[in-house]
């Protein structure tokens, strides 16, 4: 009888233990290069809450490179307060068929547990006879939306720096429920007159307020490190709350 009780106790213990989120051990790395990595994110087994929050810290000769999960997406910042992860966003470039793309270039990205923040990001296209298209996917990569904008201009004189209202630059919002996207861009006409000051079309999706369009971008937009804001939460808690009491609050996750 006693043995059976012990056995039941043991089983109960195992069930409870497996449901309880393990606290990160004190010797877990707290950063990767300049990036702070707060729990529930972590770089090693036992340091993150579950696979979703794994940040792989790759070291090359000169620096540490934090990558989100298995997605190979560069992490720029993590905010517990806002429930946001800032990652590096891809830029696509179309040079009227005259310049071949780097084969490593992605035309978008796909995530499963982090959504593209609809309030913080904008799809942007830059060029003077340019169509930019944003195709959004949900967390199982099913199509959610296709939307786009058109940007035109005849001369540089009409450009207003800082304004993405369809003259040299256009912007549109990202809808709710988008976990991944692909982007396309092409020229409306192959007009050599504008080609002199606008050899390429560009499109990218990035955090509002981080890109300031200016005339020089029509000539060349160096592959900048553009920030994209991803939303995340643990269950219905922000992870700041979760971090304060991970045992209690993160169990249902
Ligand atoms: C990262 O986020 C923290 C707080 O959310 C902020 O204080 C810090 O300035 C950010 N760092 C960078 C490099 O943006
Ligand atoms: C994202 O998912 C879509 C839909 O399955 C796919 O067409 C696209 O190539 C994916 N993009 C990346 C960068 O994996
Ligand atoms: C090319 O652009 C110039 C200047 O905007 C315009 O006058 C001309 O009609 C355009 N040509 C074509 C073929 O679109
Ligand atoms: C546009 O013009 C470039 C340069 O003259 C040429 O190589 C390219 O094939 C043209 N593209 C189209 C779609 O006509
Ligand atoms: C717009 O920005 C460009 C640099 O991209 C600068 O040369 C130009 O003077 C600016 N125009 C105005 C009106 O400020
Ligand atoms: C979170 O979810 C739990 C149950 O799933 C619910 O009781 C609680 O009110 C929710 N909290 C918030 C802040 O929505
Ligand atoms: C990890 O936890 C998050 C938040 O609770 C949950 O949404 C996600 O499904 C979990 N991921 C895995 C791989 O268990």
């Amino acid at each position: 009888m006693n043995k059976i009780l012990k056995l039941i106790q043991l089983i109960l213990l195992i069930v409870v233990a497996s449901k309880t989120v393990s606290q990160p051990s004190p010797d877990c790395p707290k950063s990767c290069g300049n990036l702070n990595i707060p729990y529930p994110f972590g770089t090693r087994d036992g340091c993150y809450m579950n696979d979703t929050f794994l940040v792989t810290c790759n070291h090359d000769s000169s620096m540490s490179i934090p990558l989100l999960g298995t997605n190979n997406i560069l992490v720029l910042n993590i905010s517990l307060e806002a429930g946001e992860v800032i990652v590096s966003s891809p830029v696509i470039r179309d040079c009227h068929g005259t310049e071949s793309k780097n084969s490593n270039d992605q035309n978008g990205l796909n995530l499963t547990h982090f959504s593209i923040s609809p309030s913080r990001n904008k799809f942007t296209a830059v060029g003077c006879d340019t169509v930019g298209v944003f195709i959004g996917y949900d967390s199982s990569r099913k199509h959610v939306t296709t939307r786009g904008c058109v940007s035109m201009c005849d001369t540089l004189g009409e450009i207003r720096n800082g304004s993405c209202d369809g003259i040299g630059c256009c912007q549109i919002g990202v809808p709710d429920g988008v976990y991944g996207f692909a982007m396309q861009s092409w020229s409306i006409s192959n007009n050599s007159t504008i080609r002199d000051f606008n050899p390429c079309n560009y499109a990218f999706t990035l955090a509002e307020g981080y890109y300031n369009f200016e005339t020089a971008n029509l000539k060349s937009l160096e592959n900048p490190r553009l920030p994209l804001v991803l939303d995340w939460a643990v269950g219905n808690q922000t992870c700041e709350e979760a971090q304060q009491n991970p045992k209690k609050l993160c169990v249902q996750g």
Side-chain angles (χ1 to χ4, degrees):
M1 199 58 193
N2 225 347
K3 265 189 179 168
I4 292 173
L5 269 180
K6 276 238 166 89
L7 192 66
I8 290 171
Q9 248 176 5
L10 188 68
I11 290 169
L12 276 177
L13 201 72
I14 290 168
V15 169
V16 168
S18 66
K19 282 214 164 182
T20 305
V21 174
S22 55
Q23 286 274 26
S25 101
D27 58 337
C28 280
K30 298 270 187 299
S31 63
C32 172
N34 290 332
L35 175 73
N36 268 335
I37 303 187
Y39 187 81
F41 293 84
T43 57
R44 285 208 310 248
D45 205 18
C47 296
Y48 48 84
M49 195 177 94
N50 70 25
D51 290 355
T52 301
F53 301 102
L54 168 63
V55 175
T56 304
C57 192
N58 280 354
H59 304 276
D60 76 7
S61 51
S62 60
M63 58 201 284
S64 302
I65 303 163
L67 300 172
L68 189 60
T70 52
N71 294 300
N72 274 13
I73 297 169
L74 181 66
V75 181
L76 303 180
N77 208 350
I78 296 172
S79 164
L80 291 183
E81 300 77 23
E84 291 175 349
V85 184
I86 320 286
V87 298
S88 179
S89 197
V91 177
I92 63 160
R93 186 175 59 174
D94 161 70
C95 303
H96 316 288
T98 55
E99 198 170 322
S100 63
K101 269 187 194 165
N102 181 334
S103 59
N104 289 331
D105 281 354
Q106 300 278 26
N107 70 350
L109 49 83
N110 290 303
L111 297 150
T112 45
H113 288 95
F114 300 94
S115 59
I116 314 300
S117 173
S119 57
R120 298 282 311 273
N121 299 298
K122 287 268 191 273
F123 170 74
T124 307
V126 170
C128 280
D129 71 332
T130 305
V131 177
V133 175
F134 177 94
I135 303 153
Y137 304 105
D138 69 7
S139 56
S140 49
R141 297 192 179 193
K142 282 211 228 30
H143 177 262
V144 174
T145 184
T146 301
R147 48 180 64 197
C149 64
V150 169
S151 168
M152 315 266 268
C153 70
D154 294 326
T155 63
L156 285 183
E158 60 192 327
I159 304 290
R160 281 183 295 138
N161 290 341
S163 167
C164 278
D165 53 2
I167 309 169
C169 177
C170 64
Q171 274 188 332
I172 52 170
V174 174
D176 282 329
V178 170
Y179 287 74
F181 60 85
M183 300 177 294
Q184 296 170 355
S185 183
W186 63 81
S187 290
I188 297 165
S189 71
N190 209 355
N191 190 334
S192 60
T193 315
I194 61 150
R195 222 43 85 219
D196 301 337
F197 59 86
N198 177 220
C200 298
N201 303 307
Y202 300 93
F204 41 88
T205 305
L206 87 169
E208 210 170 357
Y210 279 89
Y211 173 64
N212 198 23
F213 169 65
E214 47 178 289
T215 312
N217 298 157
L218 292 167
K219 187 97 189 176
S220 101
L221 194 64
E222 287 307 313
N223 226 11
R225 188 160 284 180
L226 300 175
L228 177 72
V229 181
L230 308 178
D231 286 336
W232 58 279
V234 174
N236 59 2
Q237 324 278 341
T238 69
C239 260
E240 188 183 25
E241 295 165 326
Q243 192 183 41
Q244 280 159 11
N245 197 350
K247 281 221 159 94
K248 209 168 171 190
L249 298 176
C250 283
V251 170
Q252 83 240 47

